[in-house]
Amino acid sequence: MKDQTYLDRESNLTPGISKISAKNVNVYYDDVQALKDVSVEIEKNAVTSFIGPSGCGKSTFLRCLNRMNDTIDICKVTGQILLEGEDIYDPKIDPVQLRAKVGMVFQKPNPFPKSVYDNIAYGPKIHGLANTKSDLDEIVEKSLRRAAIWDEVKDRLSSPATGLSGGQQQRICIARAIATSPDILLMDEPCSALDPIATAQVEELIDELRENFCVVIVTHSMQQAARVSKKTAFFHLGSLVEFGDTEKIFTNPNDPRTESYITGRIG
Amino acid sequence: MALNGVFYSLMILAFLAFFVSRFLTLKTVKGDIRRLHSRPVYYGLNSLFLTVFPAVILLIVWSFAQSILIDEKVKQQIPENFITEDAPLNLIMSEVDRLSEGLKQLVDQGTLSATKVENEDSELFGIEDKLESAGVFLSSSISPEVLSASRSKFAMEAFGSSTRNWLAVLVSVLGFFWSLKNSTAEFRARNHVERITLFLLGTAATLAIFTSLGIVLSMIFEALRFFGMHPWTDFFFGSTWAPSFSAGSELSILPLLWGTLYISFVALLVSVPIGLYSAIYLSEYASKPIRAIAKPLLEILAGIPTIVYGLFALTTFGPLLRYFFGDGGFLGVEWMSDSRSVITAGVVMGMMLIPFVSSLSDDIINAVPQSLRDGSYGLGATQSETVRKVILPAALPGIIGAILLAASRAIGETMIVVLGAGAVAKFAGNPLEALTTITTRIVSQLTGDLEFDSPETLVAFALGLTLFTITLGLNVLALYIVRKYREQYE
């Protein structure tokens, strides 16, 4: 019965292919409400992008999906977020285990001040994904290859990751995130600190990752959203204004606010 | 004119200079501030600086030159044959200084007139009583030679000082009038004021540097005097510390260095884990209200004077240890004969260093960017994994720097070891035994009424210099490590 009403509302989605379903999510920072009643269905093996002007709550919502907001004392989340049918805000859920399944890449490249190898091996080591050194080597190589940076760093695995260029650092962070083999990859403006060439490389990478992961990306660049994502959500002033196929959002949006934003009249 | 008269005159002139030149400048533009090159206050300040600074510089330079010149003149007045083995020149000179100082005091009090001191010899015999009632005590009765030297010193000083004071006021007045010609709209008063301010700031910085340089130089010279009297091989490579003021002292730094390093090691053993853990707790785990209470409470420890820690070691902690480990004590062992020991001083010194280590480490841990924590949490790391594997390695160079700074404080610490460590200079391994440190020996070698002319007293400078070299080396190393670490995030 519950499923029925929800299907009525979001008729273009079927529950079978949704990975994350968020219902009526509200987020408060102390007394300030940052998110109002957001409900979204995020598909498996697809790229979903969140767009909207600064301060619209898209990053906040992204951080709700792996409970990164828990590290902020004043942040309070209400509503329900289901990951494959399980409520991730259930007290029984350990946020540590959740975050192992839901990887995250941040706006600014944040490699640890360790070697390239140790950066990638960090996640697999703490989760015990590799029993032997050769297993670990394999995971590191595979992750670096998938992040399209293996060729650039294979000869300097033991040199510090902080010495790489910004674009390389960001791809190291992506490799680090996929090394723990998460189901979902959250990316918070991963290209905002990168130049166009590095951006193109990361976008290409996102396109490849789509085959194995469910990718959610927050971006300020509407072109980027149009290029990489299958679904797009437009946030404005803490509410979800419109959510649907990217093509539809960008060519024939339902809401006048969406149209104003993508044509550059507000934002 | 007396010196405070000069100060009052300068203050009045400065006050006048500021307002007169400001007023004159404003008058030239009929009150329209926008036509001035600088804001009116700069014209006032420029005048004020020109009125005060040349006069003050004259006062300072003149005073130095005067005291050197007069000293030289007075020395020449003392007859050659008056100087003997028992009464060397520097003793006579200090007698002369005291007497002329006493004469000046009597004149200031009005008991004696200045003209009498300068002209009438006979009036001055038997002034010892007067001097004594004025609070000036002389070691022996006044000899005619000393008296005449003191009198001429008094006269020269009186003349020199009054000339200097009148000249200073004159310079100040000249500066005042000269500065008034700059009261025009075109004059770049701001640039001048800023240049003078810059010079003042530079002088302040230079003074601090020269002071430390002076301290180091004086230590080096005294230490060199020591090495002239005592073989340096014994000091650096001997094995015994046994100063005796009669003869045949053995003055080796090694047993003292052993005690110093041993006690500092115990202090670090206490302070580093506790300080570091409390820093980790405060910066990573404590909630805001707990942090707001705990951090200031911890830092209260840093505000306790070290002598109080020393008292605590002497009267509370030492006897407590002795109650457990001492003769007929709680545990029935006889490991400790005195309440002063390496452990007593080391543990109490460790307590003193806890806030030092914890607040430095806390700052360093807080300087690790939040993005690294987010990155680690985002990969599913727990809080303890994040602390152990990301934050501490990132902060490690800074923490090592903090530990080295704590070590250099431990090595240089004096009051706790004076009261808590004991006075036995030897190479002992038992931490419940008393040992002594470099700083303690410096204190004991220089306590009492001493002349700095024997190796037993001068050794203090050699000890101090060695100590200074060690702590300086540690500080430089610590700063180097901390700086290198800082570059990582900038």
Side-chain angles (χ1 to χ4, degrees):
Chain A
M1 184 63 203
K2 209 175 171 191
D3 273 356
Q4 197 59 48
T5 51
Y6 136 76
L7 275 176
D8 285 347
R9 204 174 55 212
E10 303 276 352
S11 54
N12 57 342
L13 288 171
T14 48
I17 56 164
S18 98
K19 186 89 182 168
I20 301 172
S21 73
K23 282 176 207 153
N24 310 329
V25 175
N26 288 286
V27 176
Y28 304 86
Y29 292 111
D30 269 345
D31 302 330
V32 183
Q33 189 168 10
L35 272 188
K36 293 165 198 156
D37 233 12
V38 173
S39 301
V40 171
E41 299 289 326
I42 291 169
E43 270 183 55
K44 264 179 199 164
N45 296 359
V47 180
T48 306
S49 61
F50 294 169
I51 59 169
S54 292
C56 67
K58 54 193 189 307
S59 288
T60 300
F61 183 64
L62 191 75
R63 290 168 68 93
C64 289
L65 299 181
N66 68 344
R67 294 187 58 177
M68 276 304 277
N69 284 334
D70 289 14
T71 60
I72 302 167
D73 291 339
I74 55 169
C75 181
K76 207 179 103 212
V77 180
T78 65
Q80 195 184 37
I81 299 176
L82 301 178
L83 172 64
E84 289 174 336
E86 253 187 308
D87 185 357
I88 64 169
Y89 279 89
D90 191 301
K92 277 181 290 186
I93 295 284
D94 184 354
V96 169
Q97 284 173 327
L98 170 74
R99 289 184 202 133
K101 270 203 280 187
V102 186
M104 190 161 193
V105 176
F106 296 85
Q107 188 170 356
K108 243 180 77 190
N110 57 349
F112 302 132
K114 299 169 182 280
S115 70
V116 171
Y117 184 93
D118 287 340
N119 261 280
I120 312 299
Y122 181 79
K125 267 189 197 160
I126 58 176
H127 296 301
L129 298 182
N131 293 322
T132 61
K133 176 84 170 76
S134 61
D135 281 359
L136 194 61
D137 288 348
E138 204 187 306
I139 293 177
V140 169
E141 183 178 339
K142 210 174 83 191
S143 310
L144 286 169
R145 277 190 194 283
R146 284 168 94 179
I149 192 169
W150 172 252
D151 291 333
E152 286 160 69
V153 297
K154 64 173 184 247
D155 300 324
R156 46 202 286 201
L157 289 176
S158 55
S159 56
T162 41
L164 299 172
S165 77
Q168 288 172 326
Q169 287 187 11
Q170 192 63 304
R171 278 177 287 153
I172 291 287
C173 293
I174 294 172
R176 187 175 71 184
I178 57 187
T180 53
S181 26
D183 296 346
I184 300 164
L185 199 57
L186 307 176
M187 301 177 128
D188 189 357
E189 297 180 43
C191 300
S192 68
L194 303 185
D195 68 14
I197 295 168
T199 304
Q201 286 166 334
V202 172
E203 282 181 13
E204 209 172 299
L205 176 62
I206 293 169
D207 203 46
E208 283 167 29
L209 294 176
R210 181 171 53 94
E211 292 164 21
N212 300 298
F213 302 100
C214 161
V215 179
V216 185
I217 177 170
V218 164
T219 176
H220 265 133
S221 155
M222 280 170 280
Q223 290 85 345
Q224 186 172 58
R227 280 194 299 264
V228 300
S229 63
K230 183 179 174 202
K231 297 271 182 179
T232 297
F234 171 61
F235 287 79
H236 188 56
L237 300 175
S239 329
L240 178 66
V241 174
E242 195 167 352
F243 178 56
D245 289 331
T246 302
E247 214 184 300
K248 170 121 185 351
I249 295 264
F250 280 95
T251 52
N252 185 22
N254 287 335
D255 197 288
R257 283 173 293 174
T258 315
E259 199 190 346
S260 305
Y261 182 70
I262 59 172
T263 53
R265 261 177 286 152
I266 59 164
Chain B
M1 182 184 253
L3 204 54
N4 47 2
V6 178
F7 284 126
Y8 292 134
S9 323
L10 286 191
M11 268 167 70
I12 293 165
L13 280 167
F15 186 78
L16 274 178
F18 182 84
F19 287 102
V20 169
S21 74
R22 214 182 106 193
F23 171 77
L24 287 179
T25 317
L26 278 174
K27 218 174 109 182
T28 58
V29 291
K30 302 188 177 63
D32 184 3
I33 294 174
R34 279 171 303 171
R35 284 170 54 201
L36 294 174
H37 170 269
S38 312
R39 303 264 315 281
V41 66
Y42 285 108
Y43 290 92
L45 280 177
N46 181 56
S47 267
L48 187 148
F49 286 167
L50 279 177
T51 310
V52 174
F53 289 144
V56 170
I57 291 170
L58 177 98
L59 278 176
I60 293 170
V61 173
W62 185 296
S63 304
F64 273 111
Q66 173 179 312
S67 72
I68 293 169
L69 286 177
I70 290 181
D71 251 23
E72 222 28 66
K73 281 249 172 198
V74 173
K75 268 181 197 164
Q76 285 166 11
Q77 283 185 13
I78 294 174
E80 290 274 336
N81 55 8
F82 189 68
I83 303 165
T84 60
E85 190 86 350
D86 288 335
L89 185 62
N90 56 355
L91 272 187
I92 301 173
M93 284 302 290
S94 63
E95 194 79 342
V96 170
D97 282 351
R98 248 176 291 174
L99 184 53
S100 70
E101 206 45 50
L103 290 173
K104 199 170 154 213
Q105 239 171 309
L106 290 180
V107 171
D108 287 346
Q109 286 172 2
T111 340
L112 209 62
S113 83
T115 43
K116 265 187 191 163
V117 178
E118 282 163 33
N119 305 320
E120 290 165 47
D121 218 5
S122 54
E123 286 286 326
L124 290 173
F125 287 108
I127 62 160
E128 286 97 333
D129 299 339
K130 277 189 188 168
L131 283 171
E132 260 179 43
S133 67
V136 180
F137 297 96
L138 298 167
S139 54
S140 54
S141 62
I142 305 166
S143 62
E145 288 87 351
V146 169
L147 182 62
S148 89
S150 309
R151 280 178 54 230
S152 76
K153 185 174 183 192
F154 173 84
M156 282 191 281
E157 261 176 3
F159 175 74
S161 301
S162 104
T163 319
R164 173 196 66 193
N165 294 350
W166 283 113
L167 212 59
V169 175
L170 184 71
V171 166
S172 169
V173 171
L174 287 178
F176 170 49
F177 283 112
W178 193 63
S179 73
L180 289 186
K181 85 175 172 59
N182 289 333
S183 306
T184 58
E186 296 80 37
F187 180 67
R188 302 187 167 202
R190 177 171 45 79
N191 306 34
H192 279 83
V193 169
E194 278 170 0
R195 212 172 307 146
I196 295 169
T197 316
L198 196 66
F199 173 76
L200 283 179
L201 296 177
T203 316
T206 325
L207 270 180
I209 293 167
F210 275 114
T211 313
S212 19
L213 213 64
I215 291 173
V216 173
L217 279 181
S218 79
M219 291 226 299
I220 287 177
F221 281 121
E222 298 293 330
L224 284 179
R225 272 179 72 200
F226 166 73
F227 288 121
M229 295 178 200
H230 194 85
W232 64 274
T233 44
D234 180 49
F235 180 73
F236 286 113
F237 303 115
S239 61
T240 319
W241 171 265
S244 82
F245 278 94
S246 47
S249 294
E250 284 183 277
L251 303 168
S252 169
I253 191 171
L254 289 181
L256 310 183
L257 197 61
W258 165 251
T260 304
L261 295 180
Y262 197 174
I263 292 172
S264 303
F265 177 72
V266 173
L268 290 181
L269 222 53
V270 172
S271 62
V272 170
I274 298 179
L276 198 56
Y277 286 155
S278 67
I280 292 171
Y281 172 71
L282 284 177
S283 60
E284 295 295 320
Y285 291 94
S287 66
K288 258 193 185 149
I290 291 179
R291 188 181 153 86
I293 296 168
K295 203 169 150 76
L297 274 182
L298 195 64
E299 274 161 12
I300 284 178
L301 275 179
I304 299 174
T306 56
I307 184 78
V308 177
Y309 282 103
L311 285 175
F312 174 69
L314 184 69
T315 59
T316 311
F317 190 66
L320 184 77
L321 279 179
R322 212 176 144 195
Y323 172 71
F324 281 102
F325 300 108
D327 189 6
F330 188 74
L331 296 179
V333 288
E334 287 180 34
W335 292 343
M336 206 172 171
S337 55
D338 185 11
S339 57
R340 293 164 195 243
S341 71
V342 170
I343 292 260
T344 314
V347 169
V348 173
M349 200 194 283
M351 292 173 190
M352 177 196 84
L353 291 175
I354 289 170
F356 193 73
V357 174
S358 87
S359 83
L360 277 175
S361 308
D362 186 45
D363 290 346
I364 291 157
I365 290 173
N366 275 328
V368 173
Q370 181 63 30
S371 67
L372 288 187
R373 294 186 182 86
D374 283 350
S376 178
Y377 294 138
L379 290 170
T382 62
Q383 198 162 11
S384 78
E385 282 162 347
T386 305
V387 169
R388 272 184 293 125
K389 295 187 174 156
V390 174
I391 295 171
L392 285 186
L396 192 66
I399 290 170
I400 289 174
I403 292 171
L404 288 181
L405 284 177
S408 84
R409 277 205 57 182
I411 289 170
E413 170 51 38
T414 309
M415 286 331 295
I416 295 175
V417 284
V418 164
L419 295 178
V424 189
K426 62 178 179 187
F427 298 97
N430 179 1
L432 292 166
E433 259 182 66
L435 271 184
T436 194
T437 68
I438 297 178
T439 49
T440 322
R441 287 310 95 193
I442 294 179
V443 170
S444 73
Q445 288 312 100
L446 299 185
T447 311
D449 197 9
L450 297 161
E451 291 291 337
F452 290 109
D453 51 8
S454 66
E456 285 74 24
T457 47
L458 287 173
V459 70
F461 293 97
L463 290 175
L465 195 64
T466 318
L467 197 62
F468 170 74
T469 315
I470 295 172
T471 51
L472 182 75
L474 279 177
N475 283 355
V476 168
L477 189 66
L479 286 179
Y480 170 76
I481 290 173
V482 170
R483 194 167 303 162
K484 206 174 164 201
Y485 151 81
R486 268 197 197 130
E487 282 165 1
Q488 241 175 34
Y489 300 112
E490 276 166 3

